[in-house]
Amino acid sequence: MKRVRWTLWLPLALFCAFCVLVSVQLFRPAGSEVQSAMIGKPLPQFDLRPASTERPGLKTADLRDGQPKLLNIFASWCVPCAAEAPQLAELERQGANIVAVAVRDRPEDVAAFLARYGNPYSRIGADDLSEVQFAIGSSGVPETFVVDGKGVIRYQHIGDIRADSIPLLLEKLQEAGQ
Amino acid sequence: MKRLLVLLLALCAMPIAAQDTLPPAPYAYRQLDDPAQEAQAKALMETLRCLTCQGQSIADSDAPMAGDMRHQVRTRIAAGEAPEHIRAWLIERYGDYVSYKPHIGASTWPLFALPVVLLLVIAAILRRRFRGRS
């Protein structure tokens, strides 16, 4: 008789556990960022034309010259990309070599963007069909990858770089150089 | 009158440029000439997640990035690549999240096994009950 009473409460207990699970998950929704699965893998082959007249274009071999680099994915039409410009300038001032891929952009727009927000880049390739973006698993702009001297992707920063992310990026860049 | 004017002005509000000005990729909105290949591409595009608007497939989304991905899918299929090969290529870059097609793997098999287990448990319980009665 006692055993029956215990099992009678079981469905209610299961139901309550389910409700708790649902409400907990409701209060902490999943993040909307999609991490690249390419971290630790070599960059794919690409060869991009210059995105503006001021800097040369970008190809895979440029990222295999032995020196670790930051690879910034940006676009002149992207508002957070303008917001991270001071942080990129600071990274460059502290010795980072930053190369860039401009996604779906026109040369005159890129030139105007650089004139307005500064140009921390040593090279800028134009990715008109988002092909390089897909190939490295980037899902939006801006994103910043740390690439070591052999062209292997070591770290991905999603979204605009805030001031408090600068030390971490410099650290990852230094790690990539070892 | 003043209120109406304000309302009319509100209609003229323009969002700050948040999207690019480049024209869409050639095959973003253009079907492949071969209907069989287009059907293959369509079926694949409906099961690939748009990374900009993550609730939609790239077939449903008007985001420029989804357009570029449709272009990528169509040109690859036109070049003779198998749809599942393209899906694998994308999963290699973005993880399982980019594909809507369910697959049985190390972390997902309980989802498929649990209903079968539950059905077996129910069958066992019902059998015992009906046996007990007769």
Side-chain angles (χ1 to χ4, degrees):
Chain A
M1 197 62 198
K2 227 170 190 178
R3 208 173 63 95
V4 174
R5 258 188 213 151
W6 178 80
T7 46
L8 267 182
W9 288 100
L10 192 64
L12 182 65
L14 279 175
F15 177 71
C16 288
F18 177 75
C19 288
V20 168
L21 183 72
V22 168
S23 40
V24 165
Q25 293 298 322
L26 271 180
F27 281 105
R28 41 157 235 206
S32 56
E33 290 174 351
V34 184
Q35 280 277 333
S36 170
M38 289 294 283
I39 291 155
K41 295 184 193 166
L43 280 173
Q45 283 296 333
F46 60 84
D47 188 357
L48 300 176
R49 67 164 171 86
S52 85
T53 50
E54 293 166 50
R55 292 287 187 270
L58 185 69
K59 56 182 183 299
T60 313
D62 299 327
L63 286 140
R64 284 192 192 142
D65 61 0
Q67 189 204 7
K69 291 185 184 63
L70 291 181
L71 170 61
N72 184 235
I73 315 292
F74 83 108
S76 71
W77 43 266
C78 138
V79 180
C81 300
E84 74 171 2
Q87 283 71 257
L88 285 174
E90 177 61 21
L91 281 163
E92 195 219 4
R93 204 186 58 76
Q94 297 202 30
N97 186 343
I98 311 173
V99 295
V101 167
V103 178
R104 299 187 58 83
D105 231 329
R106 288 193 293 205
E108 60 267 34
D109 294 338
V110 173
F113 180 88
L114 297 177
R116 190 167 170 192
Y117 299 106
N119 185 351
Y121 308 120
S122 57
R123 290 174 173 275
I124 313 172
D127 191 11
D128 295 334
L129 297 168
S130 312
E131 285 169 323
V132 171
Q133 214 184 3
F134 295 143
I136 61 174
S138 156
S139 53
V141 277
E143 279 185 18
T144 307
F145 292 81
V146 175
V147 182
D148 71 15
K150 290 181 197 129
V152 176
I153 300 172
R154 299 288 287 270
Y155 180 74
Q156 179 193 26
H157 178 97
I158 300 176
D160 58 319
I161 300 169
R162 308 272 166 89
D164 53 5
S165 304
I166 292 179
L168 179 67
L169 277 168
L170 285 172
E171 193 191 310
K172 294 283 176 190
L173 197 59
Q174 206 185 5
E175 272 173 31
Q178 281 160 4
Chain B
M1 189 60 207
K2 216 175 193 177
R3 195 175 277 182
L4 186 72
L5 201 70
V6 170
L7 276 174
L8 281 177
L9 276 175
L11 285 178
C12 306
M14 290 281 278
I16 306 170
Q19 285 195 344
D20 57 293
T21 48
L22 276 196
Y27 280 102
Y29 292 97
R30 205 191 126 197
Q31 300 195 337
L32 291 171
D33 294 330
D34 179 353
Q37 282 188 332
E38 176 60 25
Q40 269 191 330
K42 185 96 197 334
L44 177 61
M45 292 186 303
E46 280 169 354
T47 58
L48 290 176
R49 187 188 297 274
C50 166
L51 296 158
T52 315
C53 18
Q54 293 170 1
Q56 287 185 307
S57 75
I58 59 167
D60 293 329
S61 173
D62 270 332
M65 202 179 178
D68 282 354
M69 212 185 258
R70 287 196 299 274
H71 172 82
Q72 177 111 201
V73 165
R74 284 195 173 112
T75 44
R76 281 172 174 229
I77 284 189
E81 204 173 324
E84 288 312 307
H85 190 261
I86 302 171
R87 186 196 306 282
W89 188 85
L90 282 167
I91 289 177
E92 206 184 315
R93 273 143 187 89
Y94 293 104
D96 287 338
Y97 190 67
V98 75
S99 169
Y100 280 121
K101 191 184 168 194
H103 89 116
I104 303 180
S107 62
T108 55
W109 68 265
L111 282 174
F112 298 89
L114 207 61
V116 179
V117 172
L118 281 176
L119 279 176
L120 286 176
V121 168
I122 291 169
I125 290 175
L126 286 179
R127 231 179 90 176
R128 254 173 63 180
R129 287 237 163 153
F130 286 127
R131 275 226 180 125
R133 226 173 251 183
S134 63

